[in-house]
């Protein structure tokens, strides 16, 4: 389910920028949430959510990459030959991912060490590729940016929630850098939350919660 | 330098350091293609093949060209590793697809949809990156790639079996689909943790 | 024909722009990245030797503190990090150790008093052990068990016995093994030196 836009000339579609923008934004964050509905980008949602801080940094990195790659690919959408479409997408996405990686290595080496190879794996993050292919190549730059930001935000929210549950459940406290932000007194940590099984189970329950709150699935669900 | 034997690394990649249950790689196609056995096994075989071959290729390129002391190029090009690795993977998959289409249309129709899907399978790129992080030799890298593929196939087949059984269960509506799959995979991951200490990848 | 040419030109241009952006980013940050890598190595040495540093010290500050206080000395094939006090006398000696843990490698530094027989401090700066069990080796409580221990028993046998953490037998055994391996190397290097 991808929002398509009327692609006539001009910066904004007929009806103004606002209406389509809001629809696209709501879709990216809720109705068409990349993790809960499109079921993409799960790898990193499990790998980097051992701490809330890591989850937020990864979320920001993905937002950066997806917004810029959507913008650039949308600007180039009429110029890009069909045959090398996929390669062009991969090249643009990879470039922005590497920029993020170099930035982290230079200015936040601790975080770079903790996220490890998963920063590079943003390239294969199906959300980024998915939005580039499904949206940016068929829509104007302005709304592509909104779509990118919305999907990135939807992704980050889920990551943050999983990270929150795993860090609180697994260690009893929330730590950012060297400062402890929150600590539950007298809590005996449940270590399985920071290990691999905890990631799967936390995400599973979170998605079930979203569905229970009314989020519509993409297709008929068979368990 | 790492002098674990290649066989040990193979066993580790299948059980103790399973690329799906330990490193969370390859989830997307894992969730999409685990409904029928034929699909699961077909995809697993394809992933294993691509994984082993591209690991060898990427190893050659990384140590032959990208590192500063490489025989073919004296500059430090390691910051380009992501883009080069993914390009190699995409090109290889494209090549395999063309060869299969030419020589066995039947196999092509059976596998067809999977091959492009494999390009963006994070497991392939992930294994290449781990190969660099763990500083494997060529044999170790091949063992890791092949073992990774076998381990991935094992888990996806197990999950397919579980999902078929779950088809008869009466699940509450919010849990159907992704949610219960994640929870079941989590329990499988717990079972796999029992392998810890059996062998060590270092 | 014109189409293929355009495709080729487009691909070449895109490739050039991407490569250019990346190389520029690399050049701009190369110095900092190098400093960060060196500082990473140095940070743990400073910690185990007990050299004062600000908790949020920058890479440059860490490297400066290292230059000022630590001297590297090779004994055979063993690299020792000596912390020199005012007046040049050695106050502590650190040596690197590593080995396989349960889930991944365990790396750390062992700091000895100048007599090279008493443990001053132990740090584990890299480990992937089970949090709450093997992972407890990084906690102050566990590391304190090593302080003031002799690395040679009264009977002259080299080695330390590590009290295992309950529930983390394998991790504890491996830690004991790698520490004793390093202790043996230190004593051997010393014996070599004296010949």
């Amino acid at each position: 389910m991808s929002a398509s836009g009327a692609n006539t000339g001009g910066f904004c579609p007929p009806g103004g920028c606002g209406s389509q923008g809001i629809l696209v934004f709501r879709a990216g964050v809720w109705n068409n949430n990349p993790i809960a509905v499109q079921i993409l980008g799960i790898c990193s949602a499990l790998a980097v959510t051992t701490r809330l801080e890591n989850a937020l940094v990864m979320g920001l990195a993905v937002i950066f990459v997806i917004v810029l790659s959507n913008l650039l690919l949308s600007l180039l959408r009429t110029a890009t030959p069909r045959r090398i479409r996929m390669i062009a997408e991969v090249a643009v996405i990879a470039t922005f991912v590497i920029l993020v990686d170099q930035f982290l290595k230079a200015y936040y080496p601790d975080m770079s060490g903790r996220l490890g190879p998963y920063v590079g794996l943003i390239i294969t993050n199906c959300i980024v590729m998915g939005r580039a292919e499904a949206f940016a190549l068929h829509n104007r730059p302005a709304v592509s940016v909104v779509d990118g930001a919305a999907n990135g935000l939807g992704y980050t929210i889920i990551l943050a929630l999983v990270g929150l549950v795993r860090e609180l459940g697994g260690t009893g406290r929330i730590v950012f850098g060297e400062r402890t932000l929150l600590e539950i007194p007298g809590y005996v940590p449940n270590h399985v939350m920071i290990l691999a099984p905890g990631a799967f189970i936390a995400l599973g329950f979170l998605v079930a919660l979203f569905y229970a709150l009314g989020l519509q699935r993409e297709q008929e669900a068979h368990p | 330098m790492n002098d674990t034997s290649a066989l040990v690394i193979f066993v580790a990649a299948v059980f103790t350091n399973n690329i799906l249950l330990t490193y969370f790689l390859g989830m997307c196609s894992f969730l999409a293609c685990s409904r029928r056995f034929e699909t699961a096994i077909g995809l697993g075989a394809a992933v294993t093949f691509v994984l082993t071959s591209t690991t060898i290729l990427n190893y050659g390129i990384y140590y032959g060209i990208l590192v500063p002391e490489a025989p073919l190029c004296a500059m430090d090009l390691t910051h380009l590793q992501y883009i080069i690795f993914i390009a190699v993977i995409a090109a290889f998959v494209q090549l395999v697809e063309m060869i299969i289409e030419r020589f066995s249309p039947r196999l092509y129709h059976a596998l067809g949809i999977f091959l492009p899907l494999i390009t963006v399978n994070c497991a392939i790129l992930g294994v290449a990156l781990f190969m660099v992080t763990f500083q494997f030799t060529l044999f170790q890298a091949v063992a890791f790639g092949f073992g990774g593929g076998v381990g991935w196939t094992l888990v996806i087949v197990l999950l397919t079996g579980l999902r078929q059984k779950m088809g008869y269960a009466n699940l509450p509506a919010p849990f159907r689909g992704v949610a219960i799959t994640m929870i079941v995979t989590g329990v499988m991951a717990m079972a796999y943790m029992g392998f810890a200490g059996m062998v060590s990848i270092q | 024909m014109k189409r293929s040419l355009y495709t080729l030109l487009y691909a070449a241009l895109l490739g050039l722009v991407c490569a250019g952006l990346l190389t520029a980013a690399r050049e701009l940050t190369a110095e900092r990245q190098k400093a960060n890598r060196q500082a990473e190595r140095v940070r743990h040495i400073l910690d185990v030797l007990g050299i004062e540093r600000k908790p949020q010290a920058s890479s440059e500050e860490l490297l400066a503190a290292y230059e000022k206080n630590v001297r590297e000395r090779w004994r055979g094939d063993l690299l020792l990090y000596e912390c020199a006090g005012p007046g040049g006398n050695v106050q502590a000696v650190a040596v690197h150790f590593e080995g396989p843990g349960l889930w991944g490698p365990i790396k750390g530094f062992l700091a000895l008093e100048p007599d090279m027989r008493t443990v001053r401090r132990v740090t584990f700066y890299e480990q992937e052990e089970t949090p709450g069990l093997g992972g407890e080796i990084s906690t102050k409580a566990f590391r304190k068990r090593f302080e003031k221990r002799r690395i040679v028993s009264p009977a002259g046998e080299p080695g330390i016995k590590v009290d295992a953490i309950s529930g983390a037998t394998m991790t504890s055994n491996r830690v004991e093994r790698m520490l004793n391996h390093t202790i043996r190397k230190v004593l051997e290097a010393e014996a070599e030196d004296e010949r």
Side-chain angles (χ1 to χ4, degrees), chain A residues 39 43 118 126 196 204 211 217 223, chain B residues 23-24 28 122 171 173-174 176 178:
Chain A
I39 314 185
C43 307
Y118 293 100
C126 321
Y211 287 162
R217 258 165 269 249
Chain B
Y23 297 118
F24 309 110
C28 299
C122 34
L171 286 169
R176 291 194 202 131
V178 182

Side-chain angles (χ1 to χ4, degrees), chain B residues 54-74:
Chain B
T54 54
T55 303
I56 300 176
L57 284 174
N58 282 327
Y59 180 91
I61 291 184
Y62 187 77
Y63 289 107
I65 302 181
L66 296 181
V67 291
E69 35 312 314
L72 291 173
C73 174

Side-chain angles (χ1 to χ4, degrees), chain B residues 49-116:
Chain B
F49 173 62
V50 174
L51 202 42
T52 316
S53 319
T54 54
T55 303
I56 300 176
L57 284 174
N58 282 327
Y59 180 91
I61 291 184
Y62 187 77
Y63 289 107
I65 302 181
L66 296 181
V67 291
E69 35 312 314
L72 291 173
C73 174
M75 294 189 287
D76 178 9
L77 297 172
T78 52
H79 59 290
L80 296 177
Q81 70 186 6
Y82 297 144
I83 207 169
I84 303 266
F85 284 171
I86 192 86
V88 167
I89 293 169
F92 181 78
V93 171
Q94 189 70 41
L95 187 69
V96 168
E97 200 175 341
M98 291 197 313
I99 293 180
I100 292 185
E101 188 180 7
R102 175 58 110 60
F103 289 106
S104 171
R106 195 151 42 101
L107 184 60
Y108 180 73
H109 280 293
L111 278 186
I113 186 71
F114 297 143
L115 289 175

